[in-house]
Every structure is written in C-alpha cells, then in structure tokens.
C-alpha cells in the first residue's frame, strides 16, 4: 500500500492491518518522498515509526527526477506511479492499495468541471484499475469524516499535510465551497454519484470507439496509423475525435491527450486536405479518403546506439559493436543517402520518421527497409494492441 502519513492513509493502514489479523496476506508499505516539501522527510519518518510499531515492512521511495520543466504535478504523479509499480514488482506484490476517498472523488470532479472537461475528465476514479500491479481504492465510496472518526476511536494519530490549508491549490479552494454546495443539495455523495454516471458513459463511448477503430483504422509495422476518412466521417463527432486521439497516442506513446480545442481544430483542418502537426505527430491526408498519423520526426530525440528502446516504442538490437553510433530518425539528410528509396513503395513521409543508425553524418543502417548493416528493429507493441488499448481497464 502507498502511505504518506495523512488521515486517509493511516486509516487505510489500520484497516488493512485489522483485515489481515490472521497474517495470511503479505502487507508492505511504501512512502513516496518527492523532495518537494520541507516536511516530507518528517512525514516519511512518522510512517516508518508507525509501521515499525505495527510490525509491517516499510520503505521510503525517493524521487529526484524533476528537471524543473513542464507540469510539476503531472511529473510527480507519473513518477509516483512508476516508483510504486517498480516497488510492488520487486516485492512480488499483486495489489497496491491507495487511500482515495469519496471526498477526493467529488473534489476531482469539481476541479475538472471548472476546467471545462468532457465525459472522460469528469468520469469517476475506479475502485480497481490496471494489472501488475492492480491499483485498489477500497475507500473510494467512504467519506473522509468517517475515516477520521475511525482513527479517533482507535486513538490513532496522523499527520496533516500543510498544503491542505494552502489556497494556492485548487483542491483546497474546492473543499472550502462544499458547505455552500451542500445547501443546494450538491453533497459530496451526490457529486461522487454523478462522477460514477460519467464513468459509465465513458465506458460506453470507449466501446463505441473500439468498434469504430476496427472499421476505420489500420496500424502498420512502420509505426503509423491509416484512418479511412470516409468511414471516419460516418461516426458521431465525439467518436471521430476519440479515434484520432487514440491514433496519436499510439504513435507518440503518451498517456496524455492533446487539448480538445487543439484536437478539434486539427481534425477540421485535416478534412480540408491540409496536413497538421500536434503532440509529436504528423498527420497527412492522402487521396480523398485517407489520413495517415505518423511520428513527427523532428520530435524524435537521438540517443546513443545500444540494445534497448528508441523513442519509447521501438526495440532495437545489434549483434556487434558499431563504435560511436546513434539512433535517430532517417529525416531528409538520411533519405538523401538512400538513392533507391522510391523502390520500396513506402510513402516518403513515413520513411522520414523511420529509425536509423548513424555514425557521424552517415546512415549505416535503416532496419525497416533492410538498408546497411545488420540491426534488428521492431515495434514494442503488437499491432493488435492498438485495438486492445482503445478501451480503458
């Protein structure tokens, strides 16, 4: 379980301990220290002491990976998940329990509503998601007050996060307006119920998107996705956006969607026959009835050549040493070195985003077209994963 010392987490720990009174299950605790708040170490020490008193193994996981750029909260959230996933896998834990409550559900809904989120953004967190490990939220339908009362009955102390009173955070602002909303009948429970209705709607839309994806989209071994524009335009508008977004996320391997306003603008422009770039993807209309979503090669970062992955989606391997070599997209410079590239029958734009092995300014291998020295290259994901991943789990 993930634990930081707050009331929700301490209640989760004591409830799990009581549930496991027969010691039949293996329970371990982790605290993620983000190195962002001065009191974080004190919280970690509190958790370690509490776990020691309860004879439960505890480990503090430290994050030092933020480079000061981008969205800090998103980066911290992603790092937290990655650290906990690796910790669970190392200890052979099948489930990670999280202390989210009904109040968290309602707060998240209101914050996203204020940002103009659609069905996906307003959909409730789920009690159980993922695999290896499973992320479990056993208190998701339990009010925060009930957990505090439980701890008080146990005479169990907890630590209050100082950010919970800092109105620089949207979540704190939302908590302060709950009494006013309750007077209108918008209680935490009612808002959480609405979030669950949105989750049900999201699942229905994702199933429709999966059906449409099988009709309209074809991913290929070159890492691109072909979309039948005629069939796409027979789908409801929301499904069209979801399909294009799904294709882009498969190509750029991100978990985040582009802003809806940008996605809407891009799709409408594509329908006029003009190519577009968005979120590291290059999208090109081909003939009157097809869109091709491919990687924007200028967004692909060159890396030293070694066995492993490139651009987070290619598996690359070599049988011998190549000296000071790098992996980078073929691009204009590389394509000019392959005199017979037209003979391959592959669209020029797709060739430009193909991974290649370089020594200095010379392409020594382009594995997908069997050019140059012997290097193995393949997509990390099976092509069928494009369809499997269309629906959230």
């Amino acid at each position: 379980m993930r634990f930081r010392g707050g009331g929700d987490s301490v209640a989760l720990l004591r409830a799990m301990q009581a549930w496991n009174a027969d010691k039949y299950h293996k329970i371990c605790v982790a605290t993620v220290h983000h190195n962002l708040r001065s009191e974080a170490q004190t919280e970690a020490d509190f958790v370690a002491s509490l776990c020691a008193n309860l004879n439960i193994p505890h480990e503090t996981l430290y994050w030092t990976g933020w480079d000061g750029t981008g969205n800090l909260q998103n980066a911290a959230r992603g790092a937290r998940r990655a650290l906990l996933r690796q910790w669970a896998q190392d200890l052979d834990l099948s489930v990670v329990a999280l202390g989210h409550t009904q109040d968290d559900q309602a707060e998240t809904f209101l914050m996203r509503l204020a940002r103009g989120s659609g069905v996906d953004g307003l959909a409730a967190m789920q009690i159980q998601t993922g695999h290896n490990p499973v992320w479990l939220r056993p208190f998701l339908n339990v009010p925060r007050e009930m957990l505090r009362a439980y701890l008080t009955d146990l005479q169990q102390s907890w630590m209050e996060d100082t950010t919970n009173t800092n109105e620089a955070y949207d979540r704190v602002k939302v908590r302060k307006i709950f009494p006013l909303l309750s007077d209108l009948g918008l209680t935490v429970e009612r808002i959480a119920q609405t979030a669950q209705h949105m989750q049900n709607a999201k699942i229905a839309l994702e199933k429709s998107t999966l059906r449409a994806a099988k009709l309209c989209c074809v991913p290929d071994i070159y890492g691109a996705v072909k979309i039948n524009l005629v069939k796409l335009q027979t789908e409801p508008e929301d499904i069209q956006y979801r399909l294009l977004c799904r294709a882009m996320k498969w190509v750029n391997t991100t978990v985040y969607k582009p802003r809806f306003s940008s996605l809407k603008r891009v799709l409408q422009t594509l329908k006029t026959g003009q190519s577009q770039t968005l979120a590291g993807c290059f999208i090109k209309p081909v003939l009157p009835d097809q869109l091709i979503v491919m990687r924007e090669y200028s967004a692909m970062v060159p890396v030293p050549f070694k066995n492993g992955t490139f651009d987070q989606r290619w598996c690359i391997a070599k049988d011998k040493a190549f000296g000071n070599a790098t992996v980078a997209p073929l691009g204009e410079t590389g394509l000019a070195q392959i005199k017979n590239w037209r003979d391959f029958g592959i669209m020029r734009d797709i060739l430009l985003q193909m991974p290649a092995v370089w020594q200095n300014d010379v392409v020594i291998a382009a594995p997908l077209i069997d050019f140059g020295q012997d290097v193995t290259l393949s997509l990390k994901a099976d092509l069928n994963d494009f369809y499997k991943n269309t629906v959230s789990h």
Side-chain angles (χ1 to χ4, degrees):
M1 58 178 290
R2 181 240 175 177
F3 191 11
R4 199 174 69 180
D8 303 339
S9 296
V10 175
L12 178 62
L13 175 62
R14 294 303 303 267
M16 294 286 285
Q17 178 202 28
W19 167 73
N20 195 40
D22 58 4
K23 308 298 182 185
Y24 181 76
H25 299 279
K26 176 183 179 182
I27 295 180
C28 302
V29 173
T31 301
V32 178
H33 189 321
H34 293 93
N35 289 288
L36 298 174
R37 295 181 299 116
S38 58
E39 59 269 34
Q41 189 59 55
T42 300
E43 293 171 355
D45 293 341
F46 168 78
V47 176
S49 176
L50 177 57
C51 288
N53 291 336
L54 298 174
N55 294 314
I56 296 176
H58 171 266
E59 184 175 354
T60 300
L61 311 176
Y62 292 91
W63 179 49
T64 58
W66 192 50
D67 60 4
T69 62
N71 185 298
L72 173 58
Q73 291 186 335
N74 283 342
R77 187 182 303 111
R80 183 164 60 246
R81 275 299 183 96
L83 286 168
L84 288 170
R85 180 180 292 108
Q86 190 60 58
W87 167 77
Q89 291 173 352
D90 290 345
L91 294 178
D92 196 27
L93 302 175
S94 59
V95 176
V96 174
L98 306 169
H100 294 120
T101 66
Q102 189 177 73
D103 296 71
D104 293 313
Q105 188 83 280
E107 291 161 7
T108 300
F109 179 91
L110 289 180
M111 287 190 297
R112 292 180 176 176
L113 182 65
R115 296 171 192 156
S117 295
V119 171
D120 288 8
L122 298 178
M125 291 183 280
Q126 299 178 71
I127 290 178
Q128 179 176 316
T129 56
H131 64 280
N132 192 30
V134 170
W135 304 95
L136 183 67
R137 301 175 180 86
F139 290 160
L140 203 52
N141 294 321
V142 180
R144 186 175 290 132
E145 286 184 5
M146 187 177 294
L147 298 182
R148 299 302 193 272
Y150 169 65
L151 292 177
T152 300
D153 288 343
L154 292 176
Q155 297 184 328
Q156 171 66 62
S157 63
W158 65 88
M159 298 194 71
E160 289 292 354
D161 186 342
T162 56
T163 62
N164 286 337
T165 58
N166 187 345
E167 292 194 29
Y169 294 93
D170 290 342
R171 192 172 292 275
V172 176
K173 295 176 184 177
V174 166
R175 288 174 185 171
K176 289 184 177 295
I177 67 170
F178 270 132
L180 297 175
L181 295 176
S182 295
D183 291 341
L184 299 173
L186 291 174
T187 62
V188 167
E189 181 181 10
R190 183 63 57 82
I191 295 170
Q193 286 174 349
T194 301
Q196 185 57 58
H197 294 325
M198 288 295 187
Q199 176 63 33
N200 295 340
K202 177 186 175 184
I203 291 172
L205 285 168
E206 287 180 332
K207 288 183 177 180
S208 293
T209 304
L210 173 59
R211 173 197 55 76
K214 292 178 178 179
L215 292 173
C216 301
C217 303
V218 179
D220 65 30
I221 60 172
Y222 308 117
V225 179
K226 298 176 182 177
I227 302 177
N228 186 305
L229 185 56
V230 174
K231 293 181 179 179
L232 179 70
Q233 292 185 95
T234 65
E235 299 293 336
E237 193 172 75
D238 189 83
I239 301 300
Q240 294 182 37
Y241 295 132
R242 287 172 179 273
L243 275 180
L244 179 59
C245 185
R246 174 59 220 156
M248 292 173 60
K249 289 172 66 178
W250 191 79
V251 167
N252 64 19
T253 65
T254 182
V255 297
Y256 299 110
K257 299 177 180 179
R259 290 185 180 276
F260 179 72
S261 58
S262 299
L263 190 67
K264 182 176 181 180
R265 171 184 53 78
V266 163
L267 182 56
Q268 297 308 315
T269 304
L270 288 167
K271 290 177 180 179
T272 68
Q274 300 178 59
S275 297
Q276 293 285 287
T277 59
L278 180 63
C281 294
F282 175 58
I283 311 153
K284 182 172 184 174
V286 181
L287 304 174
D289 62 349
Q290 191 175 79
L291 299 175
I292 299 185
V293 182
M294 63 198 92
R295 194 73 163 98
E296 183 181 7
Y297 72 86
S298 61
M300 300 167 72
V301 179
V303 297
F305 183 26
K306 60 182 180 180
N307 292 343
T309 60
F310 172 63
D311 200 38
Q312 300 184 63
R313 64 186 187 131
W314 295 100
C315 296
I316 189 164
K318 56 182 179 177
D319 294 329
K320 61 180 181 179
F322 283 100
N324 187 27
T326 59
V327 185
L330 198 58
E332 298 282 0
T333 303
L335 191 63
Q337 298 179 33
I338 302 175
K339 303 303 181 184
N340 66 330
W341 64 265
R342 292 179 178 83
D343 296 341
F344 296 108
I346 301 172
M347 181 187 298
R348 185 177 187 277
D349 293 293
I350 291 180
L351 287 169
L352 293 176
Q353 53 100 61
M354 283 187 180
V357 181
W358 296 73
Q359 276 186 331
N360 299 318
D361 295 326
V362 178
V363 176
I364 61 173
L368 292 180
I369 53 174
D370 294 325
F371 175 84
Q373 301 190 42
D374 188 22
V375 175
T376 302
L377 182 79
S378 62
L379 284 168
K380 286 176 61 178
D382 184 274
L383 295 183
N384 285 327
D385 286 347
F386 173 80
Y387 305 107
K388 294 176 183 176
N389 292 342
T390 298
V391 176
S392 299
H393 296 287

